[in-house]
């Protein structure tokens, strides 16, 4: 049987989960259609999801479809949970993007379509809610063409809009040939030579959809079932099947991790090649590319502001560290006909739930590294301190937050031992409420939060070098470490290089330096994470193992990993100090649509908020402003806009880039490490000795 791994994506409240329920019912998997309002859906299994009526975690459910087994992945629509969507994208064969016929294109809709196009994921568009009052047909189609800027091809039209009798009328219109001929010269020639048979047109439609060149559109209603059959036909005939050789080398990607009733880790993995068996002992890890030194690096992920991992004391889910690991598979299930069924083996193309890999993390490759785990959306740009309520144990809280970060690596847990505080990085206020409710319901921990603050980053302003030599004052460590910091291209992350011979000292010492470099860069000169730089080791040296006759190893005369881990932060921070760093703040691209006569009141407020309008255009009686605004000022703009535009203004914002802070002094972030900026304090904390 053929396989298809299908994602359902949408802006919040577009009806994505309701559409999932409709597809399961139409396919015969469920006898009754689950209701989001009643909390009876198959994919929203968390109590919190059912109570709030929103999807928080991605969920997988399977159904048979005329010779094809579809693994349908329901994803969150709220932008605060975009990380869940991100992890699913890498395992999809195709997608359905849901758009509301009433609300039309929303900010999240545009973000999702841009990403689907960039990744060339074949995508159908389902315009939902045609039965609702205010539903639009052709107007929404024109809006999608204008605001999504992608080739759309309606597979029919909507009739009876805004009524319970609304239906989808199939049929390719005259525009179909125009859209398809843009990507097929043979089709255009056939038209000129005397016409194109319907079968030729549909063959071209399927081929171009599978190449993500065009996006077919179906109108319908998840509630009434209108358009559901047409959508299922489109899924069956237009989207590609899962590939992969079941007899090839094992290669898979973990896109979700959860904990079972006994606290055991369960990994969700897409198998791209080979077959995974129960009792197999398999390697897994991050699959980082080798950089010529035998260890690999944190290469950039093609996204502005790529991170370098978690700070010291943070979550164990740090991306880019840890190297290859091994584990034995103790149990497997695969999805089939609406349930996950125990299996002895799971082959290429399928999605499996895997037990037994205790050290597994989201983004890990199983077996031979295949598709690299990439970040496609913006990083979290907010941070808040979690405050335990009276009676809440701090150690239990830290453990619970660490486990939550295992399930969502972009929840960066940052623990400050000196202040006894734990911070988490987030996308928004709704996510903060969900973390609070999850801690209370699943862990029995009551917490509150401090005011949310904006997360900045640091980038080197120039090049800086520093070195400290073994057995030379003021170095109290038995190690020589020299480091050079150079700026790197935006989005490249952190790279570690050697200018010394790999055999000049034991490999474990080089590894200790590299790991400590990455950890130390979690807090730069101003306390923010440092990224987009290359750190090169320019000097190395150590004291060989010493021992006395008839006695054991003498640590006072021999270098250990402790020496390199202790010295590296001092050298790296000094190199950073000489290079200088510049703090960059997150910037959002904004789009404001407002009555034209309110422009005079709007522009001065935008200026006071630090927003920079870059384009102005007319759209009927309205004016459209686009530009950038500091992320820290977005909430202020949201609050001011209704009063400035008589309640008629519409605002869309989305993270775009990091930009240097130009207003006032650079913001500082409290340190949570031993503070290598202050040598005396650092040595007191690390060695209990004071350097000169």
């Amino acid at each position: 049987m053929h396989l298809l791994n299908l994602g359902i994506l949408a802006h919040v409240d577009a009806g994505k989960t309701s559409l999932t329920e409709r597809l399961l019912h139409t396919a015969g998997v469920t006898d009754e259609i689950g209701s989001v309002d009643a909390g009876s859906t198959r994919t929203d299994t968390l109590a919190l999801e059912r109570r709030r009526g929103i999807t928080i975690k991605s969920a997988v459910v399977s159904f048979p479809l005329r010779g094809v087994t579809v693994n349908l992945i329901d994803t969150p629509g709220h932008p605060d949970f975009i990380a869940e969507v991100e992890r699913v994208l890498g395992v999809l064969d195709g997608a359905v993007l849901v758009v509301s016929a009433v609300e039309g294109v929303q900010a999240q809709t545009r973000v999702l379509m841009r990403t689907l196009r960039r990744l060339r994921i074949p995508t159908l568009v389902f315009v939902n809610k045609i039965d609702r009052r205010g539903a639009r047909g052709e107007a929404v189609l024109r809006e999608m063409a204008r605001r999504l800027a992608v080739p759309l091809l309606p597979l029919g039209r909507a009739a009876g809009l805004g009524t319970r009798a609304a239906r989808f009328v199939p049929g390719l219109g005259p525009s179909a040939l125009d859209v398809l001929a843009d990507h097929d010269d043979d089709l255009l020639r056939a038209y000129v030579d005397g016409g194109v048979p319907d079968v030729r047109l549909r063959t071209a439609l399927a081929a171009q959809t599978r190449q993500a060149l065009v996006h077919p559109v179906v109108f319908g209603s998840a509630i009434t079932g209108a358009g559901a059959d047409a959508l299922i036909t489109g899924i069956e005939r237009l989207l590609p099947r899962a590939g992969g050789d079941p007899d090839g080398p094992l290669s898979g990607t973990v896109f979700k991790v959860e904990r079972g009733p006994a606290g055991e880790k369960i990994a969700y993995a897409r198998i791209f090649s080979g077959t995974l068996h129960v009792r197999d002992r398999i390697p897994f890890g991050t699959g980082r590319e080798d950089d010529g030194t035998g260890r690999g690096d944190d290469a950039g992920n093609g996204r502005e502001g790529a991170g370098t991992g978690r700070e010291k004391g943070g979550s164990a889910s740090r991306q880019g560290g840890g190297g290859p690991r091994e584990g034995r598979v103790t149990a497997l299930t695969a999805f089939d006909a609406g349930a996950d069924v125990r299996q002895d083996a799971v082959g290429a193309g399928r999605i499996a739930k895997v037990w037994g890999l205790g050290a597994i993390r989201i983004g890990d490759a199983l077996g031979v590294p295949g598709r690299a785990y990439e970040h496609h959306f913006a990083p979290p740009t907010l941070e808040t301190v979690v405050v335990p309520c009276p009676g809440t144990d701090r150690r239990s809280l830290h453990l619970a937050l660490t486990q939550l970060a295992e399930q969502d690596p972009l929840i960066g847990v940052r623990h400050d031992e000196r202040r006894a505080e734990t911070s988490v990085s987030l996308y928004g206020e709704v996510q903060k409420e969900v973390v609070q409710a999850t801690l209370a319901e699943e862990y029995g921990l009551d917490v509150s939060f401090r005011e949310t603050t904006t997360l900045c980053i640091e980038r080197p302003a120039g090049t800086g070098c520093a070195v400290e030599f073994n057995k030379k004052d003021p170095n109290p460590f038995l190690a020589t470490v020299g480091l050079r910091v150079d700026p790197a291209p935006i989005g490249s992350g952190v790279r570690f290089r050697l200018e010394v011979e790999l055999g000049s000292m034991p490999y474990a010492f080089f590894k200790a330096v590299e790991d400590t470099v990455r950890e130390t860069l979690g807090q730069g000169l101003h306390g923010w994470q440092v990224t987009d730089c290359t750190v090169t080791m320019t000097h190395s040296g150590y004291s060989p193992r010493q021992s006395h006759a008839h006695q054991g190893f003498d640590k006072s005369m021999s270098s250990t990993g402790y020496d390199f881990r202790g010295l590296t932060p001092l050298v790296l921070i000094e190199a950073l100090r000489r290079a200088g760093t510049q703090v960059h703040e997150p910037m959002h691209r904004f789009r404001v649509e407002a009555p034209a006569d309110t422009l005079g009141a709007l522009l001065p407020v935008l200026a006071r908020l630090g927003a920079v309008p870059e384009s102005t255009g007319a759209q009927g009686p309205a004016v459209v402003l686009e530009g950038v605004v500091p992320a820290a000022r977005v909430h202020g703009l949201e609050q001011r806009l209704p009063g400035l535009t008589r309640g008629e203004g519409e605002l869309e914002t989305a993270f775009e880039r990091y930009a240097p802070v130009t207003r006032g002094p650079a913001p500082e972030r409290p340190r949570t490490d031993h503070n290598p900026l202050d040598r005396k304090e650092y040595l007191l904390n690390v060695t209990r000795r004071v350097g000169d």
Side-chain angles (χ1 to χ4, degrees):
M1 179 175 281
H2 295 294
L3 297 166
L4 168 64
N5 296 297
L6 178 72
I8 305 288
L9 295 83
H11 181 84
V12 66
D13 291 334
K16 171 181 47 56
T17 299
S18 296
L19 178 60
T20 298
E21 292 295 321
R22 171 60 63 178
L23 291 175
L24 294 176
H25 179 69
T26 304
V29 171
T30 57
D31 296 328
E32 295 183 359
I33 297 175
S35 167
V36 173
D37 293 335
S40 57
T41 59
R42 288 289 300 270
T43 53
D44 286 345
T45 57
L46 299 178
L48 187 58
E49 290 178 314
R50 294 182 170 181
R51 190 170 65 251
R52 295 186 65 106
I54 62 172
T55 301
I56 297 171
K57 296 291 184 183
S58 59
V60 184
V61 65
S62 177
F63 62 89
L65 182 65
R66 301 167 192 166
V68 180
T69 294
V70 178
N71 288 325
L72 191 151
I73 308 176
D74 186 19
T75 62
H78 198 287
D80 280 15
F81 308 106
I82 195 67
E84 284 289 317
V85 181
E86 174 175 270
R87 292 188 282 275
V88 166
L89 291 175
V91 305
L92 297 182
D93 302 305
V96 174
L97 180 65
V98 185
V99 179
S100 168
V102 179
E103 289 84 9
V105 175
Q106 303 289 295
Q108 187 79 342
T109 316
R110 300 174 72 189
V111 170
L112 291 170
M113 179 56 88
R114 281 198 301 267
T115 307
L116 290 166
R117 290 282 290 178
R118 187 169 69 248
L119 298 176
R120 301 190 65 80
I121 296 175
T123 302
L124 308 180
V125 179
F126 185 76
V127 179
N128 192 25
K129 302 184 182 181
I130 63 171
D131 59 318
R132 297 287 183 88
R133 180 178 297 180
R136 300 166 295 150
E138 290 297 321
V140 167
L141 196 61
R142 290 193 298 271
E143 180 183 335
M144 289 193 298
R146 175 174 55 85
R147 298 185 64 182
L148 298 180
V150 298
L152 300 170
L153 199 160
L155 301 182
R157 61 182 179 85
L161 284 166
T163 70
R164 293 288 292 182
R167 67 192 189 282
F168 178 67
V169 182
L172 294 178
S175 64
L177 181 59
D178 295 335
V179 174
L180 294 172
D182 280 345
H183 307 284
D184 190 334
D185 292 340
D186 291 338
L187 196 66
L188 182 59
R189 278 192 293 269
Y191 173 71
V192 172
D193 291 342
V196 179
D198 187 65
V199 64
R200 173 75 173 84
L201 203 61
R202 293 188 178 278
T203 300
L205 170 62
Q208 293 191 28
T209 302
R210 289 168 186 160
Q211 297 175 63
L213 296 175
V214 300
H215 304 289
V217 180
V218 174
F219 295 86
S221 167
I223 299 300
T224 67
D229 287 336
L231 179 61
I232 285 178
T233 300
I235 292 170
E236 176 199 4
R237 297 180 180 176
L238 302 179
L239 294 180
R241 304 293 176 257
D245 179 7
D247 297 320
L250 177 66
S251 180
T253 298
V254 174
F255 66 92
K256 178 178 177 178
V257 173
E258 64 184 17
R259 288 189 177 266
E264 75 280 16
K265 278 190 181 181
I266 306 170
Y268 288 65
R270 161 75 188 266
I271 308 300
F272 290 103
S273 171
T275 300
L276 183 63
H277 300 83
V278 175
R279 293 183 293 278
D280 276 354
R281 187 166 187 85
I282 61 169
F284 57 90
T286 57
R288 294 182 296 168
E289 295 181 0
D290 192 275
D291 66 354
T293 64
R295 296 166 314 286
D297 63 19
D298 269 344
N301 50 31
R303 169 178 57 81
E304 167 77 34
T308 59
R310 306 298 173 209
E311 290 93 347
K312 184 175 182 179
S315 162
S317 62
R318 186 167 71 93
Q319 299 295 309
R325 287 149 278 147
E326 280 195 352
R328 187 178 300 279
V329 177
T330 58
L332 286 171
T333 65
F335 294 91
D336 186 30
D340 50 317
V341 182
R342 288 277 177 172
Q343 303 281 348
D344 292 327
V346 177
R350 305 196 75 175
I351 291 176
K353 291 171 68 173
V354 186
W355 280 259
L357 307 180
I360 199 74
R361 298 195 297 251
I362 289 173
D364 278 347
L366 303 183
V368 178
R371 301 186 186 186
Y373 176 69
E374 297 181 356
H375 295 296
H376 309 297
F377 298 108
T381 57
L382 301 174
E383 184 177 54
T384 184
V385 174
V386 185
V387 180
C389 294
T392 296
D393 181 68
R394 292 181 180 272
R395 287 178 295 182
S396 299
L397 174 60
H398 185 62
L399 177 61
L401 288 170
T402 299
Q403 291 186 359
L404 289 181
E406 289 175 351
Q407 301 170 33
D408 186 351
L410 292 180
I411 297 181
V413 179
R414 184 174 185 264
H415 187 59
D416 186 339
E417 294 180 359
R418 292 186 296 170
R419 297 176 181 82
E421 293 179 351
T422 301
S423 303
V424 293
S425 54
L426 303 166
Y427 278 96
E429 296 300 313
V430 173
Q431 189 181 15
K432 186 164 68 174
E433 294 171 15
V434 168
V435 170
Q436 184 179 35
T438 302
L439 289 172
E441 295 177 8
E442 297 187 14
Y443 296 92
L445 301 171
D446 292 327
V447 302
S448 60
F449 298 93
R450 290 192 192 154
E451 183 180 1
T452 302
T453 57
T454 303
L455 272 173
C456 299
I457 62 169
E458 294 181 50
R459 289 182 173 132
T463 296
C465 304
V467 61
E468 296 209 20
F469 293 97
N470 186 13
K471 299 180 180 178
K472 288 190 177 180
D473 287 340
N475 178 11
F477 300 100
L478 293 177
T480 293
V481 174
L483 298 171
R484 183 178 69 247
V485 176
D486 295 293
I490 290 175
S492 61
V494 174
R495 298 176 183 270
F496 183 80
R497 295 284 185 263
L498 295 181
E499 278 187 1
V500 294
E501 291 292 334
L502 188 59
S504 61
M505 65 180 186
Y507 170 73
F509 295 161
F510 285 112
K511 189 68 170 64
V513 172
E514 179 183 0
D515 289 348
T516 307
V517 162
R518 296 185 185 281
E519 187 176 84
T520 303
L521 288 176
Q523 301 179 75
L525 303 182
H526 300 277
W528 305 103
Q529 184 171 311
V530 182
T531 188
D532 299 336
C533 64
T534 299
V535 180
T536 304
M537 190 168 185
T538 58
H539 296 76
S540 65
Y542 74 110
S543 295
R545 183 182 182 92
Q546 301 289 328
S547 60
H548 300 290
H550 310 296
Q551 294 182 12
F553 171 55
D554 187 349
K555 288 196 295 184
S556 68
M557 300 174 61
S558 310
S559 297
T560 65
Y562 159 85
D563 292 291
F564 288 91
R565 288 190 295 270
L567 180 59
T568 296
L570 289 174
V571 177
L572 179 58
I573 287 295
E574 182 58 31
L576 271 179
R577 202 194 309 262
R578 294 174 182 179
T581 64
Q582 188 165 26
V583 177
H584 290 63
E585 63 181 336
M587 303 292 290
H588 281 218
R589 174 152 293 277
F590 72 85
R591 181 183 186 275
V592 172
E593 186 172 327
D597 61 352
T598 65
L599 184 61
L602 192 56
L603 287 174
V605 173
L606 289 173
R608 285 196 293 273
L609 291 173
V612 181
E614 296 176 346
S615 66
T616 307
Q619 189 171 305
V623 64
V624 177
L625 285 174
E626 293 193 23
V628 292
V629 60
R633 308 296 182 91
V634 168
H635 185 59
L637 180 56
E638 290 172 339
Q639 289 182 315
R640 298 290 303 276
L641 188 65
L644 294 169
T645 62
R646 302 189 297 273
E648 299 178 44
E650 295 182 6
L651 173 67
E652 291 181 13
T653 67
F655 173 87
E656 182 173 80
R657 65 177 187 271
Y658 284 96
V661 174
T662 57
R663 304 179 312 278
E668 301 284 333
R669 187 191 197 194
R671 303 192 72 88
T672 60
D673 58 9
H674 292 308
N675 192 18
L677 285 170
D678 185 325
R679 187 182 185 92
K680 183 176 181 179
E681 177 186 347
Y682 177 83
L683 292 175
L684 277 171
N685 287 324
V686 173
T687 68
R688 302 301 174 188
R689 290 178 288 176
V690 180
D692 295 336

